[in-house]
Amino acid sequence: MNKVNIEKAYELLKENKIVAIPTETVYGLAGIISSKQALELIFKTKGRPLFDPLIVHVSDIEMAKTLTDNWNKTCDVLARAFWPGPLTLILEKNNKVDPLITAGLKNVGIRMPSHPLTLELIEKLNSPIAAPSANKFKKTSPTSALHVHEEFGEAVPILDGGSSEIGIESTVAQVFENEIVIYRPGKVTAGAIKNALLMDGLSHIDVRYGSSPVAPGQLDEHYRPDVPLILLDANSPYEMMKNKVMEAGIKREKIMSFKLPSSPELAARIIYAKMRELSKEKPSAIAFYLPTSIHTDENWLGVINRLIKASSFNFLSI
Ligand code: TXA
Ligand code: MG
């Protein structure tokens, strides 16, 4: 594995190269924002189309403010409540942000991650870094250095920071004057955002889930493992799974099932690793059994969103 320490990662980024970095959500494939060469290499390495924008990672609020001229009280409240952490704010970009990063859009996604190694790296660089998840386009995000190595081999140097604690990508939310729209659900829920706003006297700002009118990054078929994934209710009878599998034209002999833990935090931490681990056994399909709490607890939204996409909508009665 092509592991590098923080000093080497710093040097490589300074030389316009790319490095895989650990974050608390998933690993990112990073390049310095002022380097066209690094930005182009990110898209090329991932096989990502240029129309899908990258998010920019900062080490403090002051650095975030250098990327937008529209930082307002709402941004301050959200950044103070959730940064460093799994919340990406979509704001109008200024001319410090290369249009390559935003795929020509007028907005940029900004996040301050909480992994200490990556924070130290950004601070040392004294510059924001652009980083999408460190996986091939449409595939499962990596939550460990080994996963990154499995995606890209020796070609990508990796700053190993252990397993990602949260395990699914950040909540992506656009900040408007009177509302906040969540385009990608994650650990930071609409409820948590509402609470934070309420505590700071911003209760008039509405918070809702919606789809992005401009960024096509949220494709339906995303996060896919190498073999088909089927989702089932914890109580689905075995027969039902077999029928579903036959309907989907999948061979029945070797289906590997896994029962998700009943805590959404624990489930988030392991879903991607489980998909990878079970895929390696070369089963004809993977079946995930979901706990009944998914129907009532908002904290499951992020996990369910990823699983439904990873299964390419191959789910049963959830
Ligand atoms: O947790 C995360 O967000 C991880 C770690 C590495 O920080 N990063 C990540 O990046 O998941 P990526 O590129 O795989 O996903 C970012 C999402 C994409 O769905 C993209 O379309 C959306 O954020 N996005 C980025 N910039 C946007 C913009 N200007 N407007 C709307 N959506 C945007
Ligand atoms: Mg991604």
Side-chain angles (χ1 to χ4, degrees):
M1 205 186 307
N2 185 0
K3 279 198 203 182
V4 291
N5 61 17
I6 191 158
E7 285 75 26
K8 182 72 186 171
Y10 170 83
E11 273 171 34
L12 289 169
L13 290 168
K14 277 277 192 198
E15 290 164 10
N16 304 320
K17 308 258 173 52
I18 59 173
V19 176
I21 51 154
T23 89
E24 75 282 20
T25 58
V26 300
Y27 274 69
L29 191 60
I32 203 149
I33 62 158
S34 53
S35 167
K36 262 207 189 323
Q37 188 188 321
L39 297 172
E40 277 164 5
L41 196 54
I42 292 173
F43 282 98
K44 191 166 160 235
T45 307
K46 267 186 77 86
R48 181 170 179 142
L50 290 169
F51 60 70
D52 196 355
L54 309 178
I55 67 174
V56 175
H57 297 70
V58 297
S59 55
D60 54 48
I61 293 181
E62 286 314 306
M63 199 183 272
K65 287 182 184 169
T66 64
L67 304 168
T68 177
D69 299 330
N70 284 32
W71 191 271
N72 59 16
K73 180 168 180 207
T74 310
C75 301
D76 253 334
V77 168
L78 296 181
R80 271 190 276 114
F82 300 107
W83 283 4
L87 176 65
T88 298
L89 298 176
I90 305 284
L91 292 163
E92 195 168 325
K93 80 172 199 74
N94 63 19
N95 60 12
K96 300 245 169 43
V97 181
D98 194 306
L100 197 55
I101 295 176
T102 62
L105 298 173
K106 67 178 184 30
N107 297 318
V108 59
I110 310 172
R111 167 169 118 79
M112 175 180 173
S114 72
H115 196 292
L117 276 181
T118 290
L119 276 180
E120 192 185 327
L121 184 61
I122 303 169
E123 257 165 38
K124 215 167 137 86
L125 287 163
N126 195 23
S127 157
I129 52 180
S133 53
N135 52 277
K136 293 263 170 65
F137 183 54
K138 285 190 176 183
K139 291 291 188 180
T140 312
S141 298
T143 54
S144 72
L146 184 63
H147 296 166
V148 178
H149 178 71
E150 284 169 2
E151 289 290 307
F152 303 118
E154 296 299 307
V156 170
I158 308 169
L159 177 62
D160 186 356
S163 290
S164 300
E165 229 179 280
I166 292 175
I168 59 169
E169 306 79 0
S170 61
T171 303
V172 174
Q174 183 155 0
V175 182
F176 295 96
E177 197 154 320
N178 285 313
E179 71 170 354
I180 288 169
V181 184
I182 299 177
Y183 299 140
R184 180 172 72 181
K187 172 129 200 280
V188 175
T189 60
I193 292 179
K194 262 183 208 148
N195 255 342
L197 294 174
L198 190 73
M199 306 241 289
D200 270 278
L202 295 175
S203 57
H204 62 281
I205 296 179
D206 194 34
V207 186
R208 65 179 177 89
Y209 292 95
S211 57
S212 167
V214 283
Q218 299 294 312
L219 300 173
D220 281 347
E221 290 181 350
H222 228 129
Y223 316 114
R224 267 199 319 215
D226 290 337
V227 295
L229 172 70
I230 300 165
L231 306 178
L232 296 148
D233 253 344
N235 305 326
S236 310
Y238 185 65
E239 276 309 309
M240 213 165 162
M241 172 175 81
K242 287 205 300 195
N243 291 341
K244 181 74 186 170
V245 163
M246 282 205 322
E247 270 168 37
I250 296 165
K251 281 201 217 105
R252 258 171 44 183
E253 300 84 70
K254 198 173 169 195
I255 294 166
M256 313 222 38
S257 18
F258 175 68
K259 187 168 178 282
L260 287 190
S262 52
S263 136
E265 285 77 25
L266 286 182
R269 197 173 298 158
I270 60 172
I271 51 169
Y272 290 147
K274 270 286 163 205
M275 287 183 209
R276 282 174 188 272
E277 182 192 318
L278 298 179
S279 297
K280 277 194 193 134
E281 309 276 321
K282 305 249 177 284
S284 42
I286 301 169
F288 274 6
Y289 284 88
L290 310 175
T292 45
S293 59
I294 63 158
H295 299 287
T296 48
D297 184 350
E298 192 196 5
N299 292 306
W300 274 101
L301 273 183
V303 173
I304 296 304
N305 167 274
R306 304 312 187 276
L307 289 179
I308 288 180
K309 289 182 179 182
S311 74
S312 309
F313 294 80
N314 224 336
F315 53 88
L316 243 199
S317 61
I318 58 168

